[in-house]
Amino acid sequence: MSLFSGLSRPMKAAGLALVGVAVIAAVIGGITLTSGGGDSDTATPPGPTPTSSDGATQPSSPAPGSPSASTPPASSSAPPSSAPASSAPPASQPGQTGQPGQPGGDQQASHKWVTVRVYNNSTIQGLAEQAAKDFRASGWNVSEVKGYPGRLPETGAYYRPGTDEEAAAKALALEFGFRAEPRFKEIENIGPGVIVILTKDYKTNDKDGS
């Protein structure tokens, strides 16, 4: 006996339609479950988070090539190069020219404006004139030539201490090879200038060759 026995034809048709709908719904539901299960099986579970020995979570290492993993830039500043110091030769000092044993030319020239008086204290005729000629040839300012009546042991240039005569007398004496001393009593009141008193020890220096 059939499930639809005793029902009218319209009712049988409606029942068959409902059964068909139920079968289609069941088929669709099965397909859906099958596809959903496959997706759940292929998914990769997340890995465990690394922890330290005291249980604290460690930060994950940055991926290679990320900005945080890049090395710090190298310093581009170069140490300044020290330039070698150039050594300049010392400048020449004034008064260092001239022959050994004589004052420098500049030093002599600075004193030669001082008046020089030449006195003959020897028995040699013309000795004072010859000495005056020597002094003038060297640039000295000879203003007086005459004899001296006293007796002195050797030739000397005499000056008043603390005046320009002192430096001039020392330079003149050094140039011509005699001594330089302060004026003594007998010539203290003679006019200004270096007084050269000649004795027979004076060596003439005739630069003209006469």
Side-chain angles (χ1 to χ4, degrees):
M1 185 173 175
S2 169
L3 180 61
F4 300 104
S5 298
L7 296 177
S8 61
R9 185 172 292 179
M11 293 297 292
K12 289 180 181 181
L16 291 173
L18 290 174
V19 172
V21 170
V23 171
I24 293 171
V27 172
I28 293 173
I31 293 172
T32 302
L33 289 175
T34 301
S35 60
D39 293 341
S40 61
D41 291 341
T42 58
T44 303
T49 303
T51 59
S52 61
S53 58
D54 56 358
T57 303
Q58 297 293 332
S60 59
S61 301
S66 64
S68 60
S70 61
T71 58
S75 175
S76 60
S77 61
S81 59
S82 59
S86 60
S87 59
S92 59
Q93 298 296 327
Q96 291 184 349
T97 59
Q99 299 298 325
Q102 295 183 348
D106 293 341
Q107 183 179 359
Q108 287 182 354
S110 67
H111 304 306
K112 289 184 177 181
W113 63 270
V114 177
T115 299
V116 178
R117 302 175 185 272
V118 184
Y119 297 165
N120 186 4
N121 186 232
S122 73
T123 58
I124 304 173
Q125 295 296 323
L127 183 61
E129 288 77 7
Q130 182 59 56
K133 184 178 181 180
D134 295 341
F135 299 161
R136 289 187 179 113
S138 184
W140 292 93
N141 179 25
V142 178
S143 65
E144 185 180 16
V145 179
K146 69 177 184 177
Y148 182 76
R151 290 294 177 185
L152 298 179
E154 57 184 333
T155 300
Y158 300 92
Y159 57 87
R160 293 176 296 176
T163 66
D164 293 329
E165 297 171 10
E166 182 173 356
K170 292 178 179 179
L172 179 62
L174 182 61
E175 182 178 356
F176 287 92
F178 45 81
R179 64 182 182 175
E181 294 181 353
R183 289 188 183 188
F184 51 89
K185 183 178 180 181
E186 287 76 10
I187 60 174
E188 283 180 349
N189 298 323
I190 296 178
V194 175
I195 299 175
V196 179
I197 301 179
L198 304 168
T199 65
K200 62 182 179 180
D201 65 346
Y202 175 73
K203 304 300 182 182
T204 61
N205 184 25
D206 188 358
K207 296 184 179 180
D208 292 338
S210 60

